[in-house]
């Protein structure tokens, strides 16, 4: 049984405090607690307790070679986690903490090796969500927390997503309502020169470059997963993935609409139930096309409109929830519209590519549908 406790801001302060104090005690006792952050829900354990950390891997079905992020409540406690703290780390922490930025630094041995999957480094961030901060303060130690989903599934942005994946596998879930950012934190490796962006997220590459000057992009961010050694082990797995096979369709809205229409007709005719995740602009273009009869009738199509194309923040906030919804609607094939990889669009493009297992369809502009 998983106990769900509401801790959103409609819950009276005292009641919330009591719930978080108890959750903090449970973390100290080596138990797992799922909790909201501003990015996605996390599955927390005491980062100094190897048995507790191993419970995270077991509950998620996470491969043991994929390291976890350690969460602290204030910058001052970074010294308890990192063996050395380079100047840029303090500068970035000053600018972006609390917030969706994770820094990879040399690991201190107070953090157990299981957290880092044996690596000499540790990934650390200071989350902004008040529930996360109060919980970590009550735990009074660094908290290791990956996203609170089953390994490989889209990250949870609502408590109900956590319950669906981990219900019965964890004792306690703190429900703080929907997450504001919707995609995970940016992971920046500060142990190499120049720093390397391992995972785009809530803090943009442009923002990091404006502070640090040069920041390299790990080739895995938009390309195929590497075959050689990986710097961020999490990058090598198919991830954020809906159960149905998915494809990414890239191009302008009219081109995407034409391509999607052609594929929907073809697949619906073959008895597939097609799920679409598209922008408002493309939905408008498609509106006219889809008013034409589809083989198999309306039951062959489930359309989710994410938002306007030039609002990658909105895409980010809704992406994972909509992927889950397409699964629940029984889609057997999914088509997702790509976004330009600029600003928050880079994080969205990265998650979409990985959800699609790097299957990309280019929609060519103009001319007759191919
Ligand atoms: O927003 C977030 O970061 C959320 C919330 C809960 O804080 N957490 C999260 O954790 O996304 P997780 O475990 O799902 O992703 C951790 C990522 C993985 O890609 C992992 O490979 C990378 O961080 N990572 C962790 N430790 C690392 C290290 N020492 N070196 C390189 N990459 C590391
Ligand atoms: Mg994850």
């Amino acid at each position: 049984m998983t106990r769900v406790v509401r801790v959103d801001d409609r819950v009276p302060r005292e009641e919330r405090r009591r719930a978080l104090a108890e959750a903090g005690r449970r973390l100290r006792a080596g138990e797992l607690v799922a909790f909201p952050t501003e990015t996605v829900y996390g599955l927390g354990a005491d980062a100094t307790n190897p048995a507790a950390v191993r419970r995270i891997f077991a509950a998620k079905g996470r491969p043991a070679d994929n390291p976890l992020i350690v969460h602290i409540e204030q910058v001052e406690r970074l010294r308890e986690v990192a063996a050395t703290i380079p100047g840029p780390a303090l500068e970035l922490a000053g600018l972006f903490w609390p917030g969706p930025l994770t820094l990879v630094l040399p690991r201190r041995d107070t953090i157990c090796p299981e957290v880092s999957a044996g690596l000499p480094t540790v990934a650390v961030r200071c989350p902004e969500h008040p529930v996360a901060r109060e919980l970590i303060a009550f735990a009074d130690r660094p908290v290791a927390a990956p996203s609170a989903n089953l390994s490989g599934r889209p990250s949870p942005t609502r408590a109900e997503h956590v319950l669906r994946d981990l219900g019965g596998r964890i004792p306690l879930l703190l429900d703080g309502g929907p997450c504001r950012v919707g995609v995970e934190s940016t992971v920046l490796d500060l142990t190499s020169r120049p720093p390397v962006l391992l995972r785009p997220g809530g803090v943009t590459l442009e923002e990091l470059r404006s502070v640090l000057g040069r920041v390299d992009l790990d080739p895995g961010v938009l390309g195929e997963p590497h075959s050689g050694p990986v710097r961020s082990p999490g990058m090598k797995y198919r991830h954020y993935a809906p159960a149905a096979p998915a494809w990414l369709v890239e191009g302008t809205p009219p081109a995407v609409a034409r391509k999607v229409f052609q594929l929907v007709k073809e697949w619906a005719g073959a008895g597939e139930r097609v799920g679409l995740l598209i922008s408002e602009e493309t939905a408008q273009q498609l509106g006219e096309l889809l008013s034409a009869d589809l083989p198999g009738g309306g039951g062959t199509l489930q359309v989710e409109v994410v938002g306007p194309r030039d609002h990658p923040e909105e895409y980010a906030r809704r992406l994972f929830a909509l992927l889950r919804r397409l699964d629940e609607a029984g889609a057997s094939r999914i088509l997702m519209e790509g976004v330009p990889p600029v600003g928050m669009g880079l994080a969205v493009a990265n998650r979409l590519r990985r959800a699609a297992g790097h299957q990309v369809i280019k929609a060519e502009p103009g001319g007759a549908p191919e």
Side-chain angles (χ1 to χ4, degrees), residues 37 39-43 60 62 66-69 71 102 104 116 119 121-123 125 145-147 183-185 187 198-199 231-235 239:
T37 81
T39 56
V40 300
Y41 275 74
L43 180 59
K60 280 182 58 97
R62 185 178 179 105
N66 191 2
L68 311 175
I69 294 175
H71 297 68
T102 294
V104 175
S116 295
L119 294 172
T121 54
V122 63
R125 87 175 184 103
S147 49
V183 293
E184 304 84 344
S185 62
V187 180
L198 298 178
R199 180 178 75 181
R231 310 174 76 135
S232 181
M235 303 288 283
H239 222 218

Side-chain angles (χ1 to χ4, degrees), residues 140-331:
D140 196 28
R141 62 200 56 196
V143 173
S147 49
N149 50 285
L150 281 177
S151 190
R153 299 267 299 142
S155 292
T157 54
R158 293 173 171 271
E160 69 213 50
H161 302 156
V162 180
L163 202 57
R164 182 164 284 264
D165 278 15
L166 300 178
R169 302 169 75 102
I170 58 172
L172 179 61
L173 161 58
L174 300 174
D175 179 353
C179 299
R180 177 176 64 80
V181 179
V183 293
E184 304 84 344
S185 62
T186 301
V187 180
L188 182 72
D189 185 353
L190 285 179
T191 65
S192 53
R193 290 269 144 260
V196 179
L197 185 92
L198 298 178
R199 180 178 75 181
V203 169
T204 65
L205 178 60
E206 292 84 347
E207 286 175 296
L208 293 175
R209 284 185 173 152
S210 75
V211 179
L212 299 175
R214 184 164 165 197
V215 175
D216 286 354
L217 197 59
D218 187 89
V221 168
L222 286 178
E224 293 283 337
H226 324 230
S227 44
V230 259
R231 310 174 76 135
S232 181
M235 303 288 283
K236 73 183 181 204
Y237 297 102
R238 180 168 184 237
H239 222 218
Y240 316 116
W247 287 261
L248 185 58
V249 187
E250 291 183 345
T252 61
V256 170
R258 265 198 312 277
K259 189 76 200 172
V260 163
F261 178 63
Q262 177 213 329
L263 288 170
V264 166
K265 246 186 8 193
E266 205 175 287
W267 290 350
E272 301 284 354
R273 179 160 164 74
V274 187
L276 296 184
L277 195 133
I278 52 177
S279 68
E280 270 171 21
E281 290 86 341
T282 298
Q284 253 163 32
Q285 299 270 341
L286 259 178
E288 299 148 33
L289 294 174
L290 289 181
S291 54
D293 282 344
L294 274 181
T300 54
L301 191 62
Q302 170 86 16
V303 184
E304 301 293 349
V305 178
V306 198
R309 238 165 99 113
D310 54 1
H311 276 82
E313 289 77 14
E314 200 165 326
Y315 247 84
R317 188 156 49 240
R318 306 187 61 209
L319 176 66
F320 290 143
L322 294 181
L323 285 176
R324 283 175 180 265
R325 206 190 281 175
L326 287 175
D327 266 348
E328 271 148 36

Side-chain angles (χ1 to χ4, degrees), residues 1-16:
M1 264 296 287
T2 298
R3 195 155 62 89
V4 182
V5 177
R6 255 188 60 201
V7 287
D8 57 59
D9 48 20
R10 282 166 306 169
V11 176
R13 263 196 76 75
E14 255 325 291
E15 190 182 326
R16 201 167 96 157

